[in-house]
Amino acid sequence: MKYKGLKDPILYDGSQIEPMWALKNFNIKGSSLISWIGPMNLENHKIIDYEDVGLEIKSDEMLHLMVEHFDCQPADLRLCYHRQRLLVTIVKDFLQEMDLNIQRNGDDLFLGQGKLSVSIATCSASSMKIHFGVNLTTVGTPGDVTTAGLKDWIEGFDNEKAHEIAEEIFKAYEMELKTIEEDISKTRVF
């Protein structure tokens, strides 16, 4: 897997979940995790989860993780959702190490009463895609949802720390996938 941490902000508008976004925009071939900090604003026609159509999905500042896998052909939505939950659990573990009482419900993380994250998993004919976004602030989030932001809960938390965490999350995610492959290769089957 390849990793790229973008330093310039990008608006997450849903176009990044399209297949081969990393290749088209950064010439990254193959499975990858791209991270960046930026706002999010999804218009209804870009919302993938049918249950979310009609809802406001936005934030002024988030840490975004965009994962794409090409290792399973044809792409497998069930496997993609399993990987999404693995990624969410890794993020939860990292934030708990920062003495935050993070709760997970499916693919959502909560801090106190506030929703801390958004996520979606999907597939194209050639790849599996996961977007995971963590609120850095509650500014610009929907008024009808109680939200939480890392900068509101961690004194001195800044974008540089968010970039560092993103790279550590990638390393942990990559290691989980690698050790799964190693376990497969050493297991006797019947």
Side-chain angles (χ1 to χ4, degrees), residues 69-77 79 123-128:
H69 287 283
F70 292 93
D71 61 334
C72 181
Q73 299 297 321
D76 183 329
L77 190 57
L79 176 58
C123 289
S124 70
S126 63
S127 70
M128 296 174 278

Side-chain angles (χ1 to χ4, degrees), residues 93-126:
D93 289 348
F94 268 93
L95 295 178
Q96 284 182 320
E97 289 175 11
M98 301 172 76
D99 293 325
L100 295 174
N101 184 17
I102 303 292
Q103 300 300 312
R104 182 179 71 84
N105 184 359
D107 61 1
D108 292 321
L109 296 181
F110 293 85
L111 184 52
Q113 297 300 311
K115 190 169 187 286
L116 184 63
S117 66
V118 297
S119 188
I120 190 65
T122 191
C123 289
S124 70
S126 63

Side-chain angles (χ1 to χ4, degrees), residues 150-188:
L150 293 179
K151 290 181 178 180
D152 301 326
W153 284 78
I154 304 172
E155 188 173 331
F157 191 87
D158 59 13
N159 289 0
E160 188 58 39
K161 183 66 176 171
H163 286 297
E164 290 171 13
I165 288 173
E167 189 166 356
E168 292 303 312
I169 289 167
F170 164 71
K171 289 175 185 174
Y173 183 72
E174 181 183 42
M175 182 58 69
E176 289 288 345
L177 297 177
K178 180 181 177 204
T179 57
I180 288 169
E181 291 301 314
E182 288 172 354
D183 286 347
I184 290 169
S185 70
K186 69 178 182 63
T187 303
R188 183 171 55 149

